[in-house]
Amino acid sequence: GAVVSQHPSRVICKSGTSVKIECRSLDFQATTMFWYRQFPKQSLMLMATSNEGSKATYEQGVEKDKFLINHASLTLSTLTVTSAHPEDSSFYICSASPGWNFDYGYTFGSGTRLTVV
Amino acid sequence: AQSVTQLGSHVSVSEGALVLLRCNYSSSVPPYLFWYVQYPNQGLQLLLKYTTGATLVKGINGFEAEFKKSETSFHLTKPSAHMSDAAEYFCAVSENNFNKFYFGSGTKLNVKP
């Protein structure tokens, strides 16, 4: 149980275009999903917390208009990188929580490697 | 503010040898501590966690970690390394609301035959 699917695993896009990354909880309802970014040889940094049916909460320094997060259902959250630039190239990973059932811990997706050329 | 430091971005051990991956944290509140493992091209998998209670925590695949408040450490150990343990390991700390994780920079474990 507690499987999180993230798609795509790799994407290359041209500078100025937008890219959408999906995060799905396959066998549980995720009231909360988290989006992280990892630059090479650095830690995973929390970008935002999304709660189903409400606006995402962004961490300080993360541009809301650039990284659009939608959590329209209990099993799907999407991260859209708008007008991507080479500096947005990074590893993006989501995690999902069923709520306060901490037996699952926090389940992570397999990540998306974004390369902007 | 919370932060995590993992000493050693790469650790190499021989098969059958002790594995020791170091993690130190800073936290202004009692921390919740985690170790995750990431195999190539896969997501993060929870190895073990400390929330409250016994400070020696046992996880999956024979790993364990001990919370030492006086040393602000949560080092991960395994008595005997196996080839399948080769992966990247992340230490993380969370505030008690579980809503925010701070990760270390990760340690890649190499196991030599």
Side-chain angles (χ1 to χ4, degrees), chain A:
Chain A
V3 177
V4 173
S5 173
Q6 189 172 338
H7 178 81
S9 58
R10 291 180 181 272
V11 59
I12 300 173
C13 71
K14 291 184 178 180
S15 186
T17 62
S18 296
V19 173
K20 181 184 284 188
I21 303 169
E22 293 187 347
C23 181
R24 293 180 184 274
S25 57
L26 298 186
D27 52 1
F28 66 99
Q29 294 184 327
T31 55
T32 305
M33 289 187 174
F34 305 88
W35 288 96
Y36 294 83
R37 178 170 58 187
Q38 183 181 30
F39 291 109
K41 298 183 181 180
Q42 295 188 30
S43 298
L44 284 82
M45 301 295 294
L46 179 65
M47 298 175 65
T49 303
S50 75
N51 296 295
E52 186 269 337
S54 64
K55 290 184 178 181
T57 303
Y58 291 81
E59 295 300 301
Q60 191 172 6
V62 177
E63 299 175 60
K64 302 178 183 182
D65 295 333
K66 182 167 192 61
F67 299 100
L68 300 179
I69 291 173
N70 183 279
H71 194 158
S73 78
L74 285 171
T75 59
L76 174 64
S77 176
T78 59
L79 167 68
T80 301
V81 183
T82 62
S83 187
H85 291 285
E87 57 265 30
D88 299 323
S89 298
S90 187
F91 184 70
Y92 295 87
I93 191 165
C94 68
S95 72
S97 166
W100 291 97
N101 182 355
F102 207 63
D103 286 342
Y104 283 128
Y106 280 86
T107 305
F108 285 80
S110 54
T112 298
R113 177 75 60 189
L114 171 63
T115 303
V116 184
V117 298

Side-chain angles (χ1 to χ4, degrees), chain B residues 4-17:
Chain B
V4 178
T5 302
Q6 288 184 242
L7 290 178
S9 59
H10 290 81
V11 170
S12 186
V13 301
S14 298
E15 191 172 19

Side-chain angles (χ1 to χ4, degrees), chain B residues 33-90:
Chain B
L33 297 157
F34 308 81
W35 276 99
Y36 284 88
V37 60
Q38 185 177 34
Y39 297 99
N41 301 315
Q42 295 187 28
L44 296 176
Q45 179 183 10
L46 181 65
L47 270 180
L48 48 79
K49 63 181 184 286
Y50 168 79
T51 53
T52 58
T55 56
L56 181 61
V57 180
K58 295 186 185 298
I60 62 172
N61 301 339
F63 284 93
E64 60 183 39
E66 186 171 11
F67 169 54
K68 292 187 177 181
K69 184 178 179 181
S70 62
E71 299 178 7
T72 61
S73 69
F74 191 58
H75 302 329
L76 181 71
T77 61
K78 182 174 180 178
S80 177
H82 192 273
M83 296 297 292
S84 61
D85 294 327
E88 187 156 20
Y89 293 80
F90 292 92

